[in-house]
Amino acid sequence: MKVLLLGGTSEARSLASLLSDAAVPLISSLAGAVKRPRLPAGETRIGGFGGIDGLASYLAHEGISHVVDATHPFAATISSNAVQACARAEVPLLRLERPGWSEHPEVDSWHWADHHVAAAETAARLGGPVLLTTGRQHLADFVPALHEHPVIARVVDEPEMPLPDRWSVLRSRGPYTVDGERTLLQDRGIRTLVTKDSGGRHTEPKLTAAAALGVAVVVVRRPATSSAQMVTTAEEACAWVLSATAPPAPSHPR
Ligand code: NAP
């Protein structure tokens, strides 16, 4: 028995700790998207598999018996690849996905967008300065609509693309506090905050701070969810692995 844990999230790190404590053979996998990733407990591999074929081959080659996809809610490609590769390799797959912010008390005041380009257009209409917290990968989607606006792009690693003159980069990594987020929004005079519906607590304080200051909030909706069986907490995922990998109870002769 050996579990492949597709990670890159705090939930994946929590699950890696729980499974390591339970002595479950485990390999965590990271994409290699950030330069200095927070590493989970136990064995880790880094880098893509090479699409569905590569992942299916990896499962067979490494003797993987179970897969937990605990990747970020917006990492749609790897989640889709996992569904197809696991089906092909006949390996059970569980999706661990944190709930979004649709139950947040401020949800009715937010401007929802179906994708990043639509979020950029909404932010341009609402006006800058704009705080962009959607990550480095999608910055290019915001440039056409926002290149004339003052924008602060908060990212973990330095963007690889050149940014418009009125944009600045703020390099930082959560978790954040409400007080810290309030100070940032106030000091930079932010009028519009753009975020993805990532869910979770680590990046939620900006939403509370924005509400308190009357800052407009634009939220990018999640992509379609995985078709795999789903749980929302690391504890539930750990229970699934332990029950799926438990040896059969011995049968007692009468
Ligand atoms: P993506 O678009 O779904 O995946 C792009 C490619 O990256 C995949 O096709 C796969 O390459 C590789 N990949 C992704 N996750 C991997 C993993 N855990 N292990 C090995 N390869 C992986 O994903 P993304 O949005 O670029 O996110 C990349 C990683 O960052 C994910 O693991 C995710 O959990 C984490 N992350 C993403 C976000 C976000 O907002 N998207 C935020 C925080 C953390 P191959 O096809 O070559 O296998």
Side-chain angles (χ1 to χ4, degrees):
M1 178 257 286
K2 197 172 185 182
V3 176
L4 174 66
L5 171 52
L6 300 170
T9 57
S10 55
E11 292 75 24
R13 288 191 294 278
S14 299
L15 179 57
S17 297
L18 292 171
L19 293 176
S20 295
D21 290 348
V24 173
L26 167 75
I27 301 179
S28 286
S29 176
L30 302 177
V34 293
K35 285 192 180 120
R36 285 184 295 124
R38 294 184 176 125
L39 293 176
E43 189 179 338
T44 304
R45 67 167 295 286
I46 297 182
F49 298 97
I52 299 164
D53 292 346
L55 181 52
S57 307
Y58 179 89
L59 298 177
H61 188 258
E62 294 293 324
I64 300 295
S65 61
H66 298 79
V67 176
V68 179
D69 169 17
T71 57
H72 192 271
F74 279 78
T77 305
I78 188 70
S79 289
S80 166
N81 289 358
V83 168
Q84 294 177 71
C86 286
R88 194 187 297 171
E90 299 185 349
V91 170
L93 169 67
L94 181 74
R95 171 73 174 142
L96 166 56
E97 184 174 301
R98 68 177 87 130
W101 287 317
S102 58
E103 303 294 317
H104 194 278
E106 301 299 330
V107 69
D108 290 339
S109 68
W110 296 343
H111 304 261
W112 288 85
D114 285 339
H115 46 74
H116 292 84
V117 172
E121 288 160 0
T122 303
R125 189 167 45 77
L126 292 167
V130 174
L131 177 61
L132 261 190
T133 64
T134 43
R136 187 172 54 118
Q137 284 174 313
H138 285 280
L139 285 179
D141 290 337
F142 289 89
V143 170
L146 287 171
H147 70 282
E148 297 292 348
H149 292 259
V151 170
I152 297 166
R154 183 161 74 181
V155 290
V156 176
D157 290 323
E158 193 66 37
E160 280 155 9
M161 55 176 277
L163 297 178
D165 292 344
R166 298 192 73 193
W167 288 35
S168 60
V169 170
L170 174 62
R171 286 189 58 193
S172 81
R173 177 186 270 191
Y176 300 100
T177 63
V178 174
D179 284 348
E181 298 290 60
R182 186 198 297 256
T183 302
L184 172 67
L185 295 174
Q186 272 175 327
D187 287 357
R188 306 290 188 114
I190 299 298
R191 281 178 61 191
T192 304
L193 165 72
V194 184
T195 180
K196 296 184 285 203
D197 183 19
S198 298
R201 290 288 161 88
H202 286 189
T203 57
E204 187 188 3
K206 63 191 172 192
L207 301 170
T208 309
L213 296 171
V215 170
V217 176
V218 182
V219 185
V220 183
R221 279 195 183 86
R222 290 184 172 193
T225 50
S226 164
S227 58
Q229 181 187 342
M230 193 182 303
V231 296
T232 57
T233 66
E235 289 72 20
E236 290 171 288
C238 182
W240 178 85
V241 170
L242 294 180
S243 67
T245 57
S251 56
H252 298 290
R254 296 183 177 213

